[in-house]
Amino acid sequence: MFENRTIERIEQMLDSAMEGEFCESDYDESKLSRLESKWKKYLYSSQLAKNQLDETRRNLEGLIADISHQTKTPMSNLKLYSELLSERILNMPDATEEDRKIISQIHEQTEKLDFLIMSLTKMSRLESNIIEVKPVNAEVDSFVGETVGSMRYKADKKGISISFTKDDNDSPMALFDVKWTREALSNIIDNAIKYSPKDSTIAVSIKPYEMYVAISVMDEGQGIDENDTAKIFDRFYRSEKNSDVEGVGLGLYLAREILRKESGYIKVKSEPGKGSEFIMFLWRG
């Protein structure tokens, strides 16, 4: 009888702790056995740690939001001023080619800084679980088609074509967060555009499997060395061979983290000189 009451009280403590409602004052130590007393102290410490973690998370969320807000206006002003300065220099009759190069560099570096701040903000929010990835059952074909369409302008500017093939008789569904998965797929296609030569083609296709729907992005670029394939999804990783290509080394890392949070994954197939294929796997549930 005594053992049953002890087990019941321990179960109550555990239930309260799992629901985040454990309160030490609910359990009078004078009425508890030694085992129950130890459980109470342990659960109280756990609840205290959880509360401190929640407080840290709220502070971090506020800090990230503040940084994002405080940098938005200065970055917008820098971009505006660089464009105005560019127009003024270009309209000056005595403007030299060196002047034009300097203005171009200012504008380019401003765009790069803006992209870096946005990427770091997204990364911080994902890693700290401030923003949750919420998968829903959605159609993959239309999602990929819309994402490819949004990337065509950038590809056209570089003289690269993007093809998208799908099975017209099948419209597979998968569980994914449309907004964040679009971020992941856009990063992969953007990467393919960066490393593909002019007049090449990026082939995007869909293939359904029993448990996953695969989205393939295949380019005709320079390919990836075997030593680099295990590192390209790391934060800020940039191969020494690609130091002249724009980027900060966060796109593939963000894509992997987004897919991981919605029970998907990503892999790459590549050979130097033969292009690369990145494959996103979306869980079908």
Side-chain angles (χ1 to χ4, degrees):
M1 190 73 174
F2 173 75
E3 290 179 355
N4 289 338
R5 286 200 302 270
T6 299
I7 291 171
E8 286 176 4
R9 282 196 293 266
I10 289 175
E11 285 181 341
Q12 289 174 0
M13 291 182 192
L14 288 172
D15 289 340
S16 297
M18 287 187 292
E19 293 170 4
E21 299 174 353
F22 181 81
C23 181
E24 186 184 22
S25 61
D26 291 342
Y27 302 92
D28 184 354
E29 191 164 338
S30 64
K31 299 178 182 179
L32 299 178
S33 68
R34 288 174 59 189
L35 177 60
E36 289 175 306
S37 180
K38 288 181 179 179
W39 265 111
K40 187 194 76 167
K41 291 177 180 177
Y42 169 74
L43 294 175
Y44 173 70
S45 298
S46 299
Q47 184 67 38
L48 188 62
K50 180 182 179 301
N51 292 341
Q52 290 174 339
L53 185 62
D54 289 342
E55 180 65 23
T56 301
R57 180 178 170 181
R58 285 191 293 270
N59 291 338
L60 181 60
E61 182 177 359
L63 177 62
I64 293 172
D66 191 47
I67 291 172
S68 178
H69 176 73
Q70 293 296 333
T71 56
K72 189 174 293 184
T73 300
M75 286 308 308
S76 297
N77 289 338
L78 279 172
K79 290 164 74 172
L80 175 63
Y81 294 150
S82 67
E83 289 170 3
L84 291 173
L85 187 59
S86 177
E87 289 179 8
R88 181 171 296 184
I89 292 294
L90 292 175
N91 290 328
M92 291 174 60
D94 57 344
T96 65
E97 186 62 30
E98 185 66 22
D99 293 332
R100 291 183 173 86
K101 285 182 179 179
I102 292 172
I103 291 297
S104 176
Q105 282 294 314
I106 291 173
H107 187 70
E108 183 180 317
Q109 293 302 313
T110 302
E111 291 285 351
K112 186 174 181 179
L113 180 59
D114 187 33
F115 176 77
L116 176 60
I117 291 171
M118 287 192 297
S119 296
L120 287 171
T121 301
K122 291 173 185 175
M123 180 190 73
S124 299
R125 286 175 170 164
L126 275 173
E127 288 185 339
S128 58
N129 294 318
I130 291 171
I131 292 180
E132 294 183 8
V133 174
K134 299 178 180 179
V136 296
N137 201 33
E139 189 180 86
V140 179
D141 285 3
S142 58
F143 159 74
V144 175
E146 290 169 5
T147 307
V148 168
S150 69
M151 300 299 294
R152 288 194 190 280
Y153 176 73
K154 186 167 187 176
D156 290 343
K157 282 181 66 178
K158 196 175 174 181
I160 297 170
S161 62
I162 304 180
S163 68
F164 172 42
T165 56
K166 60 186 180 69
D167 186 350
D168 292 331
N169 298 320
D170 189 14
S171 184
M173 305 288 287
L175 287 167
F176 59 98
D177 184 307
V178 175
K179 176 185 174 182
W180 281 103
T181 310
R182 193 181 306 283
E183 174 85 17
L185 181 56
S186 297
N187 285 348
I188 293 168
I189 296 175
D190 184 64
N191 226 49
I193 294 170
K194 287 177 184 176
Y195 295 102
S196 294
K198 185 179 178 181
D199 298 324
S200 63
T201 298
I202 296 170
V204 182
S205 60
I206 297 172
K207 185 174 182 179
Y209 293 94
E210 183 177 352
M211 295 182 65
Y212 293 91
V213 177
I215 304 171
S216 167
V217 179
M218 186 180 298
D219 65 54
E220 298 173 351
Q222 59 192 13
I224 304 168
D225 289 337
E226 186 177 353
N227 292 335
D228 288 330
T229 53
K231 304 174 185 176
I232 56 174
F233 296 104
D234 292 347
R235 280 186 300 181
F236 304 112
Y237 181 76
R238 299 291 308 281
S239 172
E240 293 181 3
K241 295 180 180 179
N242 300 320
S243 58
D244 59 330
V245 180
E246 66 177 52
V248 294
L250 281 174
L252 292 178
Y253 170 77
L254 283 172
R256 185 192 67 179
E257 288 301 296
I258 291 165
L259 291 168
R260 183 180 64 82
K261 285 179 176 289
E262 56 190 20
S263 300
Y265 65 99
I266 184 172
K267 70 177 185 178
V268 59
K269 299 177 182 177
S270 185
E271 289 184 43
K274 296 185 178 181
S276 303
E277 180 184 15
F278 286 84
I279 310 172
M280 294 170 50
F281 290 89
L282 304 181
W283 188 46
R284 304 192 76 168

